[in-house]
Amino acid sequence: MSSRKRGRTAAVALPVVFIAAPLAAQQEWQPAPPQLIEEVVAVGRLRSSATDVVQERLEQEVVSDFLSVDQISRTGDSTVSLALRRMPGVTLVNDQFIYVRGLGERYSSTLLNNAHVPSPDLTRNVLPLDIFPSEIVEALAVQKGYSPDMPAAFGGGNVNILTRGIPDGPIASVEVTSGYNSESGDTGLTYAGGGDDSLGSDDGTRALPEDIQAAIRQYRGNISAVGIYSALNRSGQSVAFDEAQAINRELATSLHRDVDFESKSLGPDAGLEAALGNRWYIGETEQWEFGALGLLSYGNKWRNRDRTVRNVLNPSEEYSEQQRTTNQVTATGVVNLGLGFTADHRIDTSSLFLRNTEDDASLSVGHTFNFQREAGRGFRNYDIRFEQRELRSDQIRGRHVIGRDTAELVPFLDKPFLEGLTYEWYYSDSSATTDIPSEIRISAEDTVDPATGEVTGTSIRRTGSAANYRFTDLEDEVESYGWDLMKPLGFANLDVEVSGGWDYSRKARGYLQTELTLGTTGAAAAPVLAGTPGGVFTDQHILDPANEFRLGVGGIGTESYLAAQTVEGSYVKLDAMLFDRWRVAGGARWEQFSQASLPIDPLEFDTSLGQSVIPTASGDAQRNAQNLLGAVYREDDLYPSLSATYMRPDFWAETFQLRFGVSQTVARPDLREISEATYIDPLTEARVRGRAGLRTSPITNIDVRAEWFFDSGDNFTVSLFHKDIEDPIETAEGAGSDNDVFVTFVNAESATVTGLELEWLKNLDAFGDRVGRWIEPFFVSGNLTFSDSELTVGDVGLDLTSPVRRMAGHSEHVANVQLGFDSLNGAHSWSLVYNTFGERLFFAGRNGAQDTYEKPFDSLDLIYSFHPTERLSFKVRLQNLLEDRIELEQAGTTILEQTVGRTARLDLKWNLGQ
């Protein structure tokens, strides 16, 4: 039996076998007596990375799945999100968010070492898992059955990211990585950026200029010529309107306009990782121990992601071809410290810094209804987006047990009723930021030959918003803390753990977006508009009054919002083992939830004070949290859970367990979904608007799982699950236009999800006598999920085409299969890994338009590892060998396809320590 924190202790122990495995035998295998073979196999095979999690699964009172650090290493996944897609019933969306058992990301919560952490994602309250590099992970735990010591916001499952702990002894390692992508091996797009781009940080080149910020304050949020003229004359200064226009044009020249694209030769991927740590024992009795681990990593890669988008009604005539190049820079820093006293007391700290920056340059050309080839017209868009995401987290946690060592040192604690009493606590302070110092779109028009489609000329569009600049700032802050208390009790044929606890989390979010436009509608400017952005938007052209360039404010005024959320919970739980045959666990969690989200306009000014009425995102969101929470929504409820496990040895396998579980949980709207703020989704370019009054979604969960574990290491699992959801929150298309897609959120009437999961590991050495000894190092593992969902939309007033359909993001099947090889001396291993999912609903259609589906993506990867010495290791990863691509389909038409390419990656690691 274990509490929710015990998984961390067990996870730290997982890699012990694998540290020793490559060192156990380095000689090539030679025929030998059977007993010698069995001995070498027992210590040398790296396949045990798939079986060492068995004990952890057995200890859990509810349905749970685990991935150890070595399993992640075997599949070669570079981020947490990519690793999680290998688990039963888990699919990955946008390489960032996971869907567990067919439920969207809102139904999956994420913890970091059992603590809440904020999200740097602009449009979601949940944590994007692609920001976590796999090298910081000790284990991943996905709890699919609810227990009352977990947060009540639980639908498909809870992901707990357990970071690397302090080592058992001295460790020092350096790893160098390089790679190549088939779509990115030649040239790509680039532009003049900042001096710190290679560090994943903007040096101010792209930022909102200080001159414009000062002008916004001076002219009370209106920097148009009319606004400048009115503000100056209102303040007593007598200026002519043409002087105000000149000031406006001068402000426009402070924008970053050196954005002409250049062709760049894309080099190979590059990465570096270093780790250093040790554990020291203090004193003659060595009752005290202290440990430390530090890890630094850096990565830089370029990717071409070409995309084709088609209009479903006229795909051959209305389409766009996009050439897109992304430079991704990642940086990670981890410092972990641990202090222990005997086996009873331990305090650990974890400090984590993550940076994940993507710099996109894309060029889109094509035709729409307004830019038809027959008329000799085409559109051309130049897009630049620099997004810097960072996560900082500082955690401290402790575990204290009144054990034998403590009782001997403190005699008054040596009481039978105190023996085994365990107290665990934690405190976490985290912040996540997303900074988009400049997101630029420049719209141009091509002149084309109607017969051949050849482009004969290009000019910037004659419109006031030909150049659109967005400046975005997001800060998410989370503080959480709590404790658990557990007392074991022993009776004849009955062992009981009685536990309870309390936790609290507080989140504050500020999201500020400023949008500016630059362009001209003047007929006299037509000659200077011909050419590329860098040649058109020059100081000379902008400052010339005859060209009538003007700087304006875009958007609709409510793209920004402030939000806050608090969750306070407490629970009681009873976990009993009867006759070593039955285990029954049950309890209830009480949770009080408060949430508010308010749309704001950063350009709204108090006319009497002459200053903005909106606080800054970074400084004042936390201070205003309590004021926000007094404004909107509160609820509290009780969430019960009951599970039972039947254990029977030698029922087909040496160990057999049959689990049952039932619970009630909830899914809640995101912070921005309950606000009527309108903002731009960076992925779809759609305008997204929240809806006040969204209700929470109560969920009833039922789970049944049968598990067979064999002494040989083989295992087989069958799981059945069913979920009933009231008032599920769905994303739906609202009224809009072809060029202005509008998305909102609704409470549907009800939804159900029912499914079957299969999971297995089979060593093939049992077939050695019949097939040949060559098959003994091989094994097969994998999982399959088959599920069905049904959503009843009800009367939501949006004229959705399908009133009864599958839930968004749901796949009817998910498959992960691995064929693995471990040499008998542990020096060589390889895995062939296949992953796929069934088509899933991407977007619900309305007004008769059919739904849009994401087509299956078939991923086949090959990973080979070689340990020539105990210090040196090589790893080769070949990914997406089938060269599949991302596709969206509507009404039988592929409306979007995007290349991914094949990737080859080489890792060289030199382990200088343990």
Side-chain angles (χ1 to χ4, degrees):
M1 294 181 286
S2 63
S3 70
R4 65 171 171 171
K5 307 298 192 298
R6 190 171 300 178
R8 180 167 56 239
T9 305
V12 171
L14 288 176
V16 173
V17 172
F18 314 107
I19 294 174
L23 312 179
Q26 295 299 326
Q27 298 179 354
E28 290 296 321
W29 176 82
Q30 297 292 334
Q35 62 269 22
L36 179 59
I37 295 173
E38 292 174 358
E39 181 180 355
V40 173
V41 169
V43 297
R45 289 192 176 176
L46 295 175
R47 77 181 67 179
S48 53
S49 63
T51 62
D52 275 333
V53 298
V54 167
Q55 187 60 38
E56 183 66 24
R57 283 178 54 179
L58 287 170
E59 289 185 359
Q60 298 303 306
E61 77 230 35
V62 294
V63 174
S64 302
D65 291 309
F66 297 88
L67 273 178
S68 72
V69 61
D70 296 278
Q71 288 175 289
I72 297 172
S73 177
R74 281 207 70 115
T75 55
D77 295 319
S78 58
T79 67
V80 166
S81 58
L82 293 174
L84 284 168
R85 69 188 173 125
R86 313 290 184 186
M87 303 190 78
V90 176
T91 55
L92 182 62
V93 177
N94 294 332
D95 286 337
Q96 295 179 307
F97 306 100
I98 61 165
Y99 283 25
V100 181
R101 291 179 164 177
L103 295 172
E105 74 269 8
R106 73 169 64 254
Y107 297 98
S108 303
S109 55
T110 302
L111 302 176
L112 180 65
N113 296 320
N114 298 289
H116 293 277
V117 288
S119 170
D121 188 81
L122 295 172
T123 61
R124 291 171 173 86
N125 194 29
V126 296
L127 192 64
L129 297 175
D130 64 320
I131 68 171
F132 290 97
S134 58
E135 62 258 27
I136 72 168
V137 174
E138 192 70 53
L140 298 174
V142 177
Q143 185 170 318
K144 298 178 179 178
Y146 176 69
S147 58
D149 54 347
M150 300 299 295
F154 184 100
N158 173 272
V159 177
N160 195 3
I161 302 171
L162 304 169
T163 58
R164 294 173 62 174
I166 61 174
D168 293 326
I171 182 173
S173 65
V174 176
E175 183 172 5
V176 179
T177 299
S178 185
Y180 167 86
N181 181 269
S182 61
E183 295 292 326
S184 311
D186 192 8
T187 60
L189 298 177
T190 186
Y191 65 98
D196 296 334
D197 287 4
S198 61
L199 301 177
S201 179
D202 180 60
D203 62 0
T205 299
R206 304 172 179 86
L208 182 63
E210 288 290 342
D211 289 347
I212 294 181
Q213 295 185 52
I216 289 175
R217 293 189 294 268
Q218 180 180 357
Y219 305 123
R220 302 182 182 183
N222 188 347
I223 58 174
S224 68
V226 173
I228 295 171
Y229 175 81
S230 299
L232 291 178
N233 282 278
R234 189 168 48 243
S235 64
Q237 303 180 50
S238 179
V239 297
F241 188 68
D242 58 351
E243 293 178 275
Q245 290 177 312
I247 294 173
N248 175 267
R249 291 192 295 271
E250 187 68 38
L251 289 173
T253 61
S254 65
L255 289 170
H256 178 54
R257 291 161 288 121
D258 186 9
V259 293
D260 273 353
F261 291 159
E262 299 176 356
S263 181
K264 171 185 172 63
S265 177
L266 304 183
D269 301 346
L272 178 66
E273 176 192 331
L276 180 67
N278 199 1
R279 183 187 298 246
W280 299 271
Y281 294 92
I282 305 171
E284 295 182 0
T285 61
E286 296 187 347
Q287 289 183 313
W288 289 90
E289 64 177 25
F290 174 76
L293 174 68
L295 184 145
L296 294 173
S297 71
Y298 170 84
N300 192 323
K301 66 181 181 182
W302 292 82
R303 287 291 182 271
N304 284 331
R305 291 289 185 259
D306 294 345
R307 173 185 291 191
T308 300
V309 180
R310 303 180 181 90
N311 186 315
V312 66
L313 299 178
N314 191 8
S316 62
E317 301 295 332
E318 297 182 25
Y319 62 89
S320 69
E321 300 283 353
Q322 182 186 78
Q323 180 185 357
R324 175 187 173 198
T325 302
T326 301
N327 179 212
Q328 183 183 54
V329 176
T330 59
T332 304
V334 177
V335 176
N336 292 340
L337 303 175
L339 179 65
F341 179 67
T342 71
D344 294 343
H345 304 278
R346 184 167 193 84
I347 296 176
D348 294 284
T349 68
S350 299
S351 295
L352 170 71
F353 172 81
L354 300 175
R355 173 180 292 169
N356 188 313
T357 299
E358 291 190 349
D359 188 7
D360 285 347
S362 66
L363 176 64
S364 302
V365 297
H367 304 277
T368 65
F369 180 80
N370 294 320
F371 294 89
Q372 297 185 22
R373 174 174 165 176
E374 289 80 358
R377 304 181 67 193
F379 74 85
R380 179 178 296 262
N381 290 331
Y382 304 85
D383 288 281
I384 292 174
R385 178 185 173 88
F386 185 94
E387 180 175 355
Q388 179 179 335
R389 298 182 296 172
E390 293 183 353
L391 173 65
R392 176 197 57 80
S393 177
D394 295 301
Q395 300 178 339
I396 183 170
R397 51 195 177 272
R399 185 173 189 269
H400 310 278
V401 182
I402 301 180
R404 178 49 46 195
D405 292 333
T406 300
E408 290 178 356
L409 292 171
V410 186
F412 75 85
L413 295 178
D414 190 9
K415 302 292 191 297
F417 66 89
L418 293 177
E419 183 179 359
L421 184 66
T422 302
Y423 176 69
E424 298 180 346
W425 55 272
Y426 75 95
Y427 175 83
S428 175
D429 182 28
S430 306
S431 67
T433 60
T434 294
D435 181 24
I436 305 180
S438 188
E439 182 178 4
I440 306 171
R441 163 165 286 187
I442 299 178
S443 302
E445 180 176 345
D446 286 341
T447 302
V448 302
D449 185 330
T452 64
E454 180 183 356
V455 177
T456 59
T458 297
S459 60
I460 303 301
R461 294 180 61 190
R462 190 153 56 89
T463 172
S465 58
N468 184 279
Y469 289 75
R470 291 192 204 130
F471 305 88
T472 303
D473 179 24
L474 166 74
E475 181 161 349
D476 220 0
E477 299 178 355
V478 173
E479 181 184 34
S480 61
Y481 43 89
W483 55 264
D484 299 90
L485 191 65
M486 186 275 294
K487 178 65 176 74
L489 302 172
F491 306 95
N493 297 319
L494 177 64
D495 293 315
V496 179
E497 286 184 359
V498 180
S499 59
W502 174 89
D503 52 60
Y504 178 82
S505 68
R506 178 177 60 211
K507 170 183 283 193
R509 167 176 280 206
Y511 178 87
L512 299 182
Q513 184 180 100
T514 302
E515 186 171 342
L516 302 177
T517 60
L518 174 63
T520 177
T521 57
V528 304
L529 293 178
T532 61
V536 171
F537 293 107
T538 64
D539 288 358
Q540 179 182 354
H541 289 164
I542 292 174
L543 294 175
D544 187 347
N547 293 327
E548 300 182 32
F549 278 98
R550 61 179 183 268
L551 176 68
V553 176
I556 58 177
T558 57
E559 287 82 4
S560 306
Y561 65 92
L562 294 178
Q565 179 188 97
T566 64
V567 181
E568 180 180 7
S570 57
Y571 75 94
V572 292
K573 185 176 69 171
L574 185 70
D575 191 351
M577 180 77 74
L578 293 80
F579 300 100
D580 291 326
R581 184 59 59 92
W582 281 94
R583 180 180 181 182
V584 179
R589 180 181 183 85
W590 170 84
E591 208 165 81
Q592 183 179 73
F593 172 76
S594 302
Q595 182 170 272
S597 183
L598 300 177
I600 59 174
D601 185 354
L603 302 181
E604 179 184 353
F605 273 66
D606 188 319
T607 56
S608 62
L609 298 176
Q611 63 185 26
S612 174
V613 299
I614 304 302
T616 62
S618 58
D620 296 291
Q622 184 75 44
R623 292 198 296 271
N624 284 272
Q626 294 301 322
N627 294 333
L628 287 171
L629 289 172
V632 181
Y633 183 80
R634 294 178 185 270
E635 73 168 12
D636 65 271
D637 209 340
L638 199 65
Y639 303 95
S641 170
L642 178 65
S643 63
T645 304
Y646 172 70
M647 292 161 282
R648 179 179 173 181
D650 300 320
F651 180 69
W652 184 27
E654 287 76 14
T655 302
F656 169 74
Q657 290 192 151
L658 181 62
R659 301 178 182 271
F660 306 89
V662 60
S663 61
Q664 292 183 343
T665 56
V666 68
R668 297 175 175 130
D670 288 350
L671 288 172
R672 41 87 187 186
E673 292 174 346
I674 62 171
S675 166
E676 295 185 353
T678 301
Y679 57 92
I680 304 298
D681 187 305
L683 297 177
T684 63
E685 293 293 331
R687 291 194 178 273
V688 184
R689 185 178 179 86
R691 173 173 289 197
L694 282 178
R695 302 180 299 277
T696 57
S697 306
I699 306 172
T700 300
N701 311 279
I702 301 174
D703 292 278
V704 180
R705 170 179 278 194
E707 302 169 316
W708 290 268
F709 300 100
F710 300 84
D711 288 348
S712 64
D714 298 349
N715 62 71
F716 182 67
T717 301
V718 180
S719 303
L720 297 171
F721 60 89
H722 178 80
K723 298 180 183 291
D724 280 313
I725 308 174
E726 300 177 28
D727 301 325
I729 301 171
E730 286 282 298
T731 303
E733 183 181 0
S737 66
D738 291 340
N739 298 320
D740 188 16
V741 179
F742 174 70
V743 174
T744 189
F745 308 95
V746 296
N747 279 110
E749 185 176 301
S750 63
T752 61
V753 181
T754 303
L756 166 70
E757 293 175 343
L758 305 175
E759 185 178 8
W760 69 89
L761 167 67
K762 177 60 181 176
N763 296 300
L764 301 184
D765 50 7
F767 300 98
D769 292 338
R770 285 172 286 178
V771 178
R773 302 287 288 278
W774 62 268
I775 202 173
E776 292 185 359
F778 289 86
F779 67 93
V780 178
S781 65
N783 55 77
L784 298 172
T785 301
F786 305 93
S787 62
D788 186 35
S789 68
E790 183 176 278
L791 175 77
T792 302
V793 176
D795 185 14
V796 297
L798 293 178
D799 297 322
L800 298 179
T801 302
S802 304
V804 178
R805 55 172 172 80
R806 275 194 280 162
M807 297 184 70
H810 176 258
S811 297
E812 290 186 335
H813 69 268
V814 181
N816 297 283
V817 181
Q818 177 180 182
L819 173 64
F821 170 88
D822 289 321
S823 66
L824 298 178
N825 65 2
H828 305 271
S829 68
W830 59 260
S831 298
L832 189 64
V833 184
Y834 175 73
N835 169 268
T836 189
F837 57 85
E839 69 173 17
R840 54 194 180 198
L841 179 67
F842 187 80
F843 210 81
R846 61 186 302 268
N847 291 330
Q850 295 190 27
D851 298 336
T852 299
Y853 288 88
E854 181 179 1
K855 303 300 290 181
F857 187 95
D858 296 313
S859 171
L860 182 65
D861 304 335
L862 177 64
I863 303 94
Y864 169 72
S865 297
F866 173 48
H867 297 261
T869 73
E870 66 179 36
R871 303 299 187 199
L872 184 64
S873 64
F874 296 90
K875 179 182 293 182
V876 177
R877 291 179 261 186
L878 304 177
Q879 297 172 308
N880 194 26
L881 292 174
L882 301 178
E883 205 169 9
D884 209 350
R885 59 181 57 199
I886 299 170
E887 294 184 352
L888 300 182
E889 184 177 285
Q890 184 180 18
T893 298
T894 301
I895 62 171
L896 182 147
E897 55 183 313
Q898 178 175 302
T899 60
V900 176
R902 297 188 180 101
T903 299
R905 178 170 170 174
L906 174 65
D907 301 338
L908 172 62
K909 186 172 184 178
W910 183 257
N911 192 350
L912 306 176
Q914 185 178 359

